[in-house]
Coordinates of all heavy atoms in Angstrom, one line a residue:
Chain A
K71 N -18.4 -10.0 18.4 CA -18.1 -10.2 19.9 C -17.7 -8.8 20.5 O -18.0 -8.5 21.6 CB -17.1 -11.3 20.2 CG -17.6 -12.6 19.9 CD -16.6 -13.7 19.9 CE -17.1 -14.9 19.2 NZ -16.1 -16.0 19.0
N77 N -19.2 -10.1 26.0 CA -17.8 -10.3 25.5 C -16.9 -9.1 25.7 O -15.7 -9.2 25.8 CB -17.8 -10.8 24.1 CG -18.1 -12.2 23.9 OD1 -17.4 -13.1 24.5 ND2 -19.2 -12.5 23.2
T80 N -16.1 -4.3 28.8 CA -15.0 -3.5 29.3 C -14.8 -2.2 28.5 O -14.4 -1.2 29.1 CB -13.6 -4.3 29.1 OG1 -13.6 -4.9 27.8 CG2 -13.5 -5.4 30.2
E112 N -1.4 8.6 4.7 CA -2.8 8.4 4.9 C -3.1 7.2 5.8 O -4.0 7.2 6.7 CB -3.5 8.2 3.6 CG -5.0 8.6 3.6 CD -5.3 10.0 4.1 OE1 -4.6 10.9 3.6 OE2 -6.1 10.1 5.0
D178 N -12.6 8.6 20.4 CA -11.3 8.0 20.8 C -10.8 7.0 19.7 O -11.1 5.8 19.8 CB -11.5 7.3 22.1 CG -10.1 7.1 22.8 OD1 -9.1 7.0 22.0 OD2 -10.1 6.9 24.0
D211 N 3.7 -17.5 33.5 CA 4.4 -18.8 33.6 C 5.6 -18.8 34.6 O 5.8 -19.5 35.5 CB 4.9 -19.3 32.3 CG 3.8 -20.0 31.5 OD1 2.8 -20.3 32.1 OD2 4.1 -20.2 30.3
D302 N -5.1 -7.2 25.1 CA -5.9 -8.3 25.5 C -6.5 -8.1 26.9 O -5.8 -8.1 27.9 CB -5.1 -9.6 25.4 CG -5.9 -10.9 25.5 OD1 -6.7 -11.0 26.5 OD2 -5.8 -11.7 24.6
R308 N -6.0 -11.0 34.2 CA -5.3 -12.1 34.9 C -4.1 -11.5 35.7 O -3.8 -11.8 36.8 CB -4.8 -13.1 33.9 CG -5.9 -14.0 33.4 CD -5.5 -14.8 32.2 NE -6.5 -15.8 31.8 CZ -6.5 -16.4 30.6 NH1 -5.6 -16.1 29.7 NH2 -7.4 -17.3 30.3
D319 N -2.2 -11.0 49.9 CA -1.6 -12.1 50.7 C -0.6 -11.7 51.6 O -0.4 -12.2 52.7 CB -1.0 -13.1 49.7 CG -0.9 -14.5 50.2 OD1 -1.9 -15.0 50.8 OD2 0.2 -15.1 50.1
D348 N -13.1 -8.4 47.2 CA -12.1 -8.9 48.2 C -10.7 -8.4 47.8 O -9.7 -8.6 48.6 CB -12.1 -10.4 48.3 CG -11.7 -11.1 47.1 OD1 -12.3 -10.8 46.0 OD2 -10.8 -12.0 47.1
R390 N -1.0 11.9 30.6 CA -2.2 12.1 29.8 C -3.4 11.2 30.3 O -4.5 11.6 30.3 CB -2.0 11.9 28.3 CG -3.2 12.3 27.5 CD -2.8 12.6 26.0 NE -1.7 11.9 25.5 CZ -0.5 12.4 25.2 NH1 -0.4 13.7 25.4 NH2 0.5 11.7 24.7
G393 N -3.2 11.9 34.7 CA -3.3 13.2 35.2 C -2.2 13.6 36.2 O -2.3 14.6 36.9
R400 N 7.8 19.2 40.6 CA 8.2 19.9 41.8 C 9.5 19.2 42.3 O 10.4 19.9 42.8 CB 7.1 19.8 42.9 CG 6.1 20.9 42.7 CD 5.2 21.0 43.9 NE 4.4 19.8 44.1 CZ 3.1 19.8 43.6 NH1 2.6 20.8 43.0 NH2 2.4 18.7 43.8
Chain B
L36 N -14.3 -0.1 31.6 CA -13.2 0.1 32.5 C -12.8 1.6 32.5 O -13.2 2.3 31.6 CB -11.9 -0.7 32.0 CG -12.1 -2.2 31.9 CD1 -10.7 -2.8 31.5 CD2 -12.6 -2.8 33.2
W38 N -11.3 4.9 31.7 CA -10.6 5.2 30.5 C -10.4 6.7 30.4 O -10.7 7.3 29.4 CB -11.4 4.6 29.3 CG -10.6 4.5 28.0 CD1 -10.9 5.2 26.8 CD2 -9.4 3.8 27.7 NE1 -10.1 4.8 25.8 CE2 -9.1 4.0 26.3 CE3 -8.6 2.9 28.4 CZ2 -8.0 3.4 25.7 CZ3 -7.5 2.4 27.8 CH2 -7.2 2.6 26.5
Y41 N -6.7 13.2 30.3 CA -6.5 14.5 30.9 C -6.1 15.5 29.7 O -5.7 15.0 28.7 CB -5.4 14.4 31.9 CG -5.9 13.8 33.2 CD1 -6.1 12.4 33.2 CD2 -6.3 14.5 34.3 CE1 -6.5 11.7 34.4 CE2 -6.8 13.9 35.4 CZ -6.9 12.5 35.5 OH -7.4 11.9 36.6
G48 N -3.4 17.8 38.4 CA -2.2 17.0 38.1 C -1.4 16.5 39.2 O -0.2 16.3 39.2
E49 N -2.1 16.3 40.4 CA -1.4 15.9 41.6 C -1.2 14.4 41.7 O -0.3 13.8 42.2 CB -2.0 16.4 42.8 CG -2.0 17.9 42.9 CD -0.6 18.5 43.0 OE1 0.3 17.7 43.4 OE2 -0.4 19.7 42.6
Y168 N -12.8 11.3 3.6 CA -13.5 10.7 4.7 C -15.0 11.1 4.8 O -15.7 10.9 5.8 CB -12.8 11.0 6.1 CG -11.5 10.3 6.1 CD1 -10.4 10.9 5.6 CD2 -11.4 9.0 6.6 CE1 -9.1 10.3 5.6 CE2 -10.2 8.4 6.6 CZ -9.0 9.0 6.1 OH -7.8 8.4 6.1
R239 N -25.9 10.8 13.2 CA -24.8 11.3 13.9 C -25.0 12.6 14.6 O -24.2 13.0 15.5 CB -23.5 11.4 13.0 CG -23.0 10.1 12.5 CD -21.7 10.4 11.7 NE -21.3 9.2 11.0 CZ -20.2 9.1 10.3 NH1 -19.3 10.1 10.3 NH2 -19.9 8.0 9.6
S279 N -17.5 -15.9 24.6 CA -17.3 -16.8 23.5 C -16.1 -16.5 22.7 O -16.0 -16.9 21.6 CB -18.6 -16.8 22.6 OG -18.8 -15.4 22.2
H284 N -5.8 -19.0 24.2 CA -5.5 -18.7 25.6 C -6.8 -18.4 26.4 O -6.7 -18.0 27.6 CB -4.5 -17.6 25.7 CG -4.9 -16.3 25.2 ND1 -5.0 -16.0 23.9 CD2 -5.3 -15.2 25.8 CE1 -5.5 -14.8 23.7 NE2 -5.6 -14.2 24.9
E297 N -8.1 -16.9 36.5 CA -7.4 -18.2 36.4 C -6.0 -18.1 37.0 O -5.5 -19.1 37.4 CB -7.3 -18.6 34.9 CG -8.5 -19.3 34.4 CD -8.5 -19.5 32.9 OE1 -7.6 -19.0 32.2 OE2 -9.5 -20.1 32.4
R299 N -5.1 -15.8 39.5 CA -4.9 -15.0 40.7 C -4.4 -15.9 41.9 O -4.4 -17.2 41.8 CB -6.2 -14.4 41.2 CG -7.3 -15.3 41.7 CD -8.5 -14.4 42.3 NE -8.2 -14.0 43.6 CZ -9.2 -13.5 44.4 NH1 -10.4 -13.4 43.9 NH2 -8.9 -13.2 45.7
S302 N -4.6 -17.1 48.9 CA -3.7 -17.3 50.1 C -3.8 -18.7 50.6 O -2.7 -19.2 51.1 CB -4.1 -16.3 51.1 OG -5.4 -16.3 51.4
N312 N -2.1 -21.9 33.7 CA -1.3 -22.1 32.4 C -1.7 -23.3 31.6 O -1.6 -23.3 30.4 CB 0.2 -22.2 32.8 CG 0.7 -20.9 33.4 OD1 0.1 -19.9 33.1 ND2 1.7 -21.0 34.2

Side-chain angles (χ1 to χ4, degrees):
Chain A
K71 288 168 198 173
N77 281 300
T80 45
E112 204 55 48
D178 196 334
D211 275 348
D302 192 303
R308 285 166 172 163
D319 202 49
D348 66 308
R390 186 159 30 253
R400 279 194 289 269
Chain B
L36 297 187
W38 196 240
Y41 289 77
E49 296 299 337
Y168 292 87
R239 288 187 193 187
S279 56
H284 66 285
E297 277 168 359
R299 74 173 273 194
S302 50
N312 295 334

